[in-house]
Structures are given as structure tokens and as C-alpha cells.
Amino acid sequence: MTTDSAIAPEPRAFEADVSKLLHMMVHSVYSDRDVFLRELISNAADACEKLRYEAIANPALFGEDPQPRITVTLDKEAGTVTIADNGIGMTAADMGETLGTIARSGTKAFMDRLSADNDGGGQQLIGQFGVGFYSAFMVAGAVDVVSRRAGQEVAAVWSSDGRGTYTIASADLSQAPDRGTRVTLHLLEDAKGYAERYNVERIIKAQSGHVPVPIFIEEAGSDEEALQIADGAALWTKPRSEIIEEDYTDFYRSVAGQFDKPALTLHYRAEGRHEYSVLTFIPESKPFDLFDPNRNGRIKLYVRRVFITDEAEILPRYLRFVRGLVDSADLPLNMSREMIQDSPVLSAIQKGVSNRVLAELEKLADAEPERYAAIWENFGSVLKEGLYEDYARRESLLGLARFKTTSSNGEWRSLKDYASSLKENQTAIYYATGDDLDRIAGSPQLEGFKARGIEVLLLPDQVDNFWTTTGIDYDGKPFKSVTQGAADLSLIPLSEGNEPASVGEEVTGFVAFAKEALRDHVSDVRVSDRLTTSAVCIVAPENAMDLQLEKILASAGRAPERAKPVLEVNAGHSLIGKLGQSSAGDDERRDIAYLLLDEARIAEGEAPTDPRAFVERLERLMAKTL
Ligand code: ADP
Ligand code: MG
């Protein structure tokens, strides 16, 4: 590239989403504005790490200046704070792509959440999650970014007041850093405190003390040399005994881009055939991108302290909530990212770290069940994805799984707990799925289980519909849906105070009649084991898909050919008994059969078979009682 392709500063508009975000930044009365420093320093450190990586293949990029550094310059008089790095730098084109759009998925998720909330809740959200470069506009009325890409003889400047447009222009080389980026913030009147040294020093130490690049601070117009306030040492290479909890928390926040604390910290060094260090964390709260469709993990891969990639997928996707890094001593530095993916060393690391994370969770579950329950509360629905994705670790995942059940009073129960309270003759682990715990707990299908004191797992997550149908078992007991097939409860005795209903001729008569009348809509009508209070319910036939799963697939537009449900009737219910004896004519009995089916469907959250006909039947019936 040459200097004669100079670019003049034409105003360009921000992407719509950026404008929205900027508007929030500018108008935020948000109290913890300090985070802008963390975001800009983290970008500067990323830039240094990118350079370190590119210089492996092209050492000339380092020029005369191989030591990465970040310098924060305060100018009280001018009311500015400048964050400079000697990292990879940006070309004008890079700036256009990255500083006018929203690229990173975390910020995208943040925006989605904002528009979903729509009620000004955003202020708190900024507090909990980083929103990158644009956070500069919380404290600055104008921002200039001057940058020179490593190895290039041109520089560019980006400027904006954060009000809808920005400019990019060529910059004079003499005004630009020799390499890297200089971000200058023109502080707002009420943010002048960010030009105060004691203030900035404190914030950087607290927020960025462990970024892997040394940080210096200096004051404009002062003769004093820049002072190093963070050493850029890699925390993970230090022995555990020398690290205090605060160090881990600070490091976690900068590596994970989270604002909470770690719920679990795992720091160890693997030795033997492969040598690597691991420093990972489980967050205390759910990261924003937890349910991003791409389900990417965020474990960074380093090789001998050089950042290589955060796309190595060190952990399986169902452990994507784990943040942190792995630093390998064995991988060759000059291997491309693509080749690293296929390296046997990487597979050994993936396996080792995944097993260790699960083992660590198991240990915690045993030793500190309450701390573990808090982790499960946040990430259980993600971990459960492993039950159908990771056959090899299924045992371990089943051991880690916790459930609310019909007898747990809102507490979490393990399958071991469940297995220890099986009823006489109980041969399956029963579960009920749905999308709301209370509604599942109130399903009529559970009545017969309750009457026998049989515990039922209540499964409210979408993933529950999938892993339960993979032929999985625990301790030799299959998982069985309470809304599928015959309940087969007759061998399990009723608890005291529950009488078995006798099935008289009148009931079998009505069942036969209803079966004929409803044959277009149900595959069977039968007397139920599972009802004690409700008159009817519907269940899926034995080998068909569970009702919930059917519903989910249908809502995803992948509706399978729907199997007709089975209508079960409660022989002990007074209405059913009376129906058998009633002298009502066939037309009336047909109406009632339909109404019963529709009632059962409504209890499942479904529409009546034919809403118009349903209304007419109901009205005919009401008219008779008047
Ligand atoms: P993120 O850091 O998550 O990508 P940001 O909003 O903080 O999101 O930054 C957006 C992008 O701008 C970065 O990905 C990077 O490409 C570019 N960028 C920001 N600051 C710098 C810098 N100091 N040096 C080089 N590139 C930078
Ligand atoms: Mg960033």
C-alpha cells in the first residue's frame, strides 16, 4: 500500500444497531462507567497477542520493537485519556469493518436482549456485560483512533462523537504510532476524573491487573518516566500457592469478559505424556451467549504463552459455559490454526481437560452439594445436552444430573437419590416433560403415580425431550415418560387411603362406545392406571413419540406424522360411572365422548379437535341443564 491512495474524511453512518447502542452509552446515567477502561485495555492486549501470533510466521513484523506494551496517558489539561498499544494495528479498511458495526456475538446477544426488554433495563445490562469498544462513549464526547498496521507504511484515523456518524481518513505517519493503535478519549465534563492518575491506576489494577501484556501509565507534560502498573505475567504459570482469590477473580473477568465471580476455579498443570497448564472457571451467572445457536466454547488456546486461538473447541459444546485457557508446552508454535485442530496433541488435551472438568464437578457435588446445586441451576440445561451428545461420558453426566421431582419439594435430587426410593416392583424411572415446572407437576397423568408414592422427575427443559428418548438407562432402569404407553402401574401397590377403582360393565361399555365414536381422533380408549382425580387424560401410544417432543418438533416446523393419542378414562370417576349407566341416547353420548376428549386435550394445553363443534356441544349440554 502507498500513501498516494489517501482517504479523505467522509462522514459515514453507523450500523443501526451501533447507533442504538451508542445512544444508550451516551445517555447512560450508569454508575459503573469504569468498565470502558477494561474494554479498551482488553482490545489493546488482544491486538498485542494477535501480533505475537502473526510474528511467528513473519518475525519482521516485530521490527525493532518485540516487547508488547500498553500505555495509558493522562492529560488533565486537555481532558483526555489515551490508550496506546504496539500490537497488530488496523488499516483504514479494518476500521471500517470493525468500528462501525457490531461484530462480536456477545454484543449482538446484548442488543437482542435489549430489544426484548425494551423498558430501559439496559442500564443494568451494561453493568453486567462488556460491550466492547463503544463503551468509550460512556465517558467521552469524542473518540479518535489512530492506527498503523504492523509492517505497513500508511496509517489511518477514525473519529466520532458517537452521534450517528464517524469518519475514517488517512493519517500522517508522523502523527501515528510506529505500530499499533492509539485510542484517545475526549472526556465528558462529568468524566474528567478519568484523567486523574490515582483513579485510573486503581481501576486498571483492579480490572486489568492480569492481562498478559504489561501496562504502563504516564502523565502528559510530566518528566517522569512511564510507570509499569501491571506486569503482564501469565497468572496461570504461577504456582497456586502464590495466587490469592482476588487475582483469580480479576483474571477471570478479563479472560471471560464477565463481570461476576467464578463459581468454580480449576487451575492445574498436566504432566506426563503431554504438558499443559489449565486455568478455567465456571461463571457464577449465565453468560449472554449461552444459548447462541452456534454453541461455541470460549476456552483460549495458548502455546508457551502465545495466544493461538479461541476456536480450538477444547471442551465439548455442552461445557461451553466454562471460560479460561489452556497453555500447551508441546504444540509447535509454527503450526497453522487449521492444522492444530487435527493434531493428536490437541485431542489429548481436549480429552484430558474435559474429563478433569467433569471430575472436578463430581468432587464438588459430593463435598459441597449446595455450591454444586447453584452451578447446576445455571448450567444444568446445558450439561444435559451431553446426555445425548457424549455417549462416552454419559455415566458421568447422569451422575452429575439433578432434577426436581414430585417428591423433592423444589430441591434438587440426583438419580442416586431417586434409585434409593424406588417402590416395590418399580422397573422404570418415570419422568414428565413440559415447559413449566408447575404445569408439569399439575398434569393429570401424574395422579396415579402420586397415589402410589412413585417419584416422577419433572423435566422442564427442551433438551429433556431429546436425551430421554435415546434409549438411555440408569442403573439398569429405563427412563419412561408418564405420558406415553400404558402406565403398567397395577403391580405397584397404592399407598394407604387410595382404593383401586373397580371397573364395572358400565365402564367397559362406555369405553367401547367412545372408541368407536372417536376413532378418527384417537388410536385407543382405555381404562387408566394413572388417573385418580381427573376424569380423562390423553397419552401417546406405546411406540410413538412422546407428546411433548411431538409438540416441539411441530413448533420447529418439523412435524412428524402425528400419531393419534390414546384417551384414558378414570373408572373411579363418578362421571364415567354415570355415563355407563345413563339412559342418554347415542347422539348425546357421542357429544360427551367428544367433550371428554377435548377436555383432555385442553388440559394438555392443546386446542379442541374442532373448536366450532366443541362450542356447539358445550352449548347443547348447557341448554339441557337449564
Ligand atoms: P471485541 O473486542 O469483542 O472484538 P470490541 O467492540 O471491543 O469487540 O472491538 C471491536 C473490534 O475492533 C476488535 O475485534 C478489533 O478487530 C478492533 N479493535 C478494537 N481495538 C483495537 C486495537 N487496539 N487494536 C486493533 N484492533 C482493535
Ligand atoms: Mg473488546
Side-chain angles (χ1 to χ4, degrees):
M1 213 183 261
T2 55
T3 34
D4 51 18
S5 59
I7 312 165
E10 283 277 313
R12 315 181 191 195
F14 284 113
E15 249 182 9
D17 270 355
V18 179
S19 294
K20 227 180 345 176
L21 188 61
L22 282 169
H23 183 83
M24 282 205 43
M25 296 293 168
V26 174
H27 295 271
S28 121
V29 281
Y30 175 61
S31 57
D32 190 13
R33 298 189 295 182
D34 297 359
V35 297
F36 83 91
L37 259 175
R38 201 196 70 170
E39 295 296 333
L40 297 182
I41 286 177
S42 122
N43 286 348
D46 288 351
C48 291
E49 298 208 303
K50 280 182 200 155
L51 174 66
R52 205 147 38 178
Y53 178 76
E54 286 199 11
I56 297 167
N58 183 7
L61 289 180
F62 274 142
E64 306 282 281
D65 179 20
Q67 293 301 329
R69 61 191 268 143
I70 298 170
T71 309
V72 178
T73 308
L74 308 173
D75 189 335
K76 250 195 277 189
E77 228 160 88
T80 61
V81 52
T82 299
I83 293 100
D85 65 71
N86 60 353
I88 191 72
M90 284 178 276
T91 63
D94 292 340
M95 286 174 165
E97 261 166 43
T98 54
L99 303 181
T101 58
I102 291 186
R104 70 175 201 172
S105 60
T107 310
K108 272 218 166 70
F110 171 85
M111 293 306 296
D112 291 347
R113 184 76 75 91
L114 264 190
S115 22
D117 273 15
N118 224 352
D119 58 355
Q123 244 86 356
Q124 276 109 36
L125 293 179
I126 300 182
Q128 289 167 44
F129 298 90
V131 283
F133 172 76
Y134 304 108
S135 62
F137 289 98
M138 288 199 290
V139 299
V143 176
D144 300 320
V145 182
V146 184
S147 193
R148 178 167 168 187
R149 168 96 192 176
Q152 297 209 355
E153 294 302 318
V154 289
V157 54
W158 179 101
S159 304
S160 178
D161 62 1
R163 289 166 207 257
T165 61
Y166 62 93
T167 59
I168 296 175
S170 302
D172 198 329
L173 272 188
S174 65
Q175 308 288 310
D178 289 344
R179 182 185 72 222
T181 304
R182 193 160 66 213
V183 180
T184 301
L185 312 189
H186 300 271
L187 296 169
L188 293 165
E189 207 44 55
D190 66 351
K192 290 282 200 272
Y194 291 109
E196 297 285 350
R197 178 173 191 137
Y198 71 93
N199 202 12
V200 173
E201 214 176 301
R202 174 187 57 80
I203 298 169
I204 293 178
K205 280 185 179 154
Q207 293 183 347
S208 311
H210 296 289
V211 302
V213 177
I215 304 173
F216 296 80
I217 193 164
E218 63 179 20
E219 282 174 278
S222 153
D223 296 336
E224 278 175 55
E225 264 203 14
L227 177 81
Q228 179 167 335
I229 54 169
D231 64 3
L235 185 70
W236 62 93
T237 60
K238 295 186 180 166
R240 262 159 52 177
S241 55
E242 287 174 20
I243 304 174
I244 58 168
E245 196 181 319
E246 282 73 28
D247 294 333
Y248 279 132
T249 302
D250 294 346
F251 181 76
Y252 158 74
R253 289 181 178 169
S254 55
V255 76
Q258 291 269 116
F259 282 67
D260 55 349
K261 289 185 174 167
L264 187 69
T265 301
L266 176 57
H267 183 193
Y268 72 97
R269 186 173 171 74
E271 270 155 8
R273 231 156 76 77
H274 299 289
E275 274 184 34
Y276 53 90
S277 301
V278 176
L279 178 50
T280 57
F281 306 90
I282 294 181
E284 203 173 46
S285 55
K286 289 183 188 154
F288 258 144
D289 54 1
L290 192 58
F291 291 104
D292 245 28
N294 61 30
R295 301 163 71 228
N296 284 341
R298 289 289 192 80
I299 302 286
K300 299 185 181 200
L301 176 67
Y302 282 71
V303 173
R304 291 186 289 287
R305 294 199 47 198
V306 177
F307 171 71
I308 304 293
T309 174
D310 50 13
E311 288 172 4
E313 295 298 338
I314 307 272
L315 291 173
R317 293 183 187 253
Y318 62 86
L319 290 175
R320 61 185 174 275
F321 53 88
V322 181
R323 300 292 148 108
L325 60 88
V326 172
D327 187 352
S328 159
D330 312 327
L331 281 167
L333 261 176
N334 55 1
M335 208 182 206
S336 76
R337 290 181 176 124
E338 292 69 36
M339 286 179 65
I340 282 182
Q341 297 289 357
D342 302 328
S343 143
V345 178
L346 186 70
S347 347
I349 293 176
Q350 286 164 327
K351 192 165 163 208
V353 182
S354 308
N355 289 344
R356 181 65 182 261
V357 168
L358 293 185
E360 217 58 34
L361 285 171
E362 280 166 12
K363 245 200 292 187
L364 184 72
D366 272 348
E368 297 177 71
E370 281 178 12
R371 261 182 75 198
Y372 177 70
I375 291 176
W376 181 263
E377 186 88 47
N378 277 328
F379 303 116
S381 54
V382 179
L383 274 162
K384 282 189 284 190
E385 293 168 10
L387 289 172
Y388 65 87
E389 284 183 349
D390 193 349
Y391 197 80
R393 298 195 183 88
R394 201 180 242 191
E395 284 295 301
S396 160
L397 289 165
L398 280 173
L400 287 171
R402 296 291 179 273
F403 304 97
K404 306 248 162 101
T405 77
T406 43
S407 46
S408 73
N409 289 319
E411 300 291 314
W412 292 109
R413 300 257 290 163
S414 67
L415 289 171
K416 201 165 150 199
D417 298 334
Y418 185 101
S420 68
S421 59
L422 290 180
K423 290 290 155 198
E424 194 184 332
N425 296 335
Q426 183 181 343
T427 54
I429 295 171
Y430 292 102
Y431 68 88
T433 55
D435 27 50
D436 173 298
L437 216 51
D438 288 337
R439 255 193 65 187
I440 310 173
S443 318
Q445 286 94 339
L446 292 177
E447 293 167 4
F449 294 85
K450 288 185 188 147
R452 290 170 175 82
I454 301 171
E455 185 171 15
V456 177
L457 309 178
L458 307 173
L459 308 181
D461 296 319
Q462 280 236 354
V463 341
D464 293 321
N465 296 288
F466 298 98
W467 66 264
T468 47
T469 51
T470 53
I472 195 165
D473 68 68
Y474 177 80
D475 215 9
K477 304 265 179 313
F479 286 80
K480 200 162 186 310
S481 165
V482 300
T483 60
Q484 181 169 28
D488 278 336
L489 297 180
S490 54
L491 289 175
I492 305 178
L494 284 159
S495 341
E496 239 166 275
N498 289 293
E499 291 299 315
S502 58
V503 183
E505 243 171 67
E506 65 286 352
V507 174
T508 41
F510 177 70
V511 164
F513 174 83
K515 198 164 164 171
E516 177 57 28
L518 301 175
R519 72 164 179 244
D520 288 344
H521 305 285
V522 299
S523 61
D524 195 11
V525 179
R526 67 182 173 224
V527 172
S528 183
D529 272 348
R530 53 191 121 208
L531 296 174
T532 60
T533 315
S534 305
V536 284
C537 69
I538 49 172
V539 300
E542 193 67 54
N543 291 314
M545 197 175 277
D546 182 74
L547 289 181
Q548 273 299 323
L549 182 55
E550 226 175 53
K551 248 191 260 175
I552 287 178
L553 292 178
S555 70
R558 308 208 331 247
E561 182 71 22
R562 267 199 93 151
K564 289 181 201 161
V566 175
L567 180 67
E568 292 200 348
V569 304
N570 177 1
H573 195 281
S574 61
L575 180 64
I576 304 294
K578 277 188 200 146
L579 269 172
Q581 295 154 353
S582 151
S583 56
D586 277 1
D587 284 348
E588 280 166 328
R589 298 212 310 161
R590 185 172 298 107
D591 272 357
I592 289 179
Y594 265 101
L595 283 170
L596 285 172
L597 171 62
D598 288 337
E599 166 186 333
R601 292 175 59 101
I602 290 167
E604 278 299 309
E606 291 184 34
T609 41
D610 174 351
R612 181 77 222 140
F614 169 75
V615 169
E616 285 166 7
R617 289 188 184 107
L618 198 58
E619 285 176 356
R620 277 202 288 274
L621 197 72
M622 288 191 278
K624 280 194 72 173
T625 66
L626 297 174

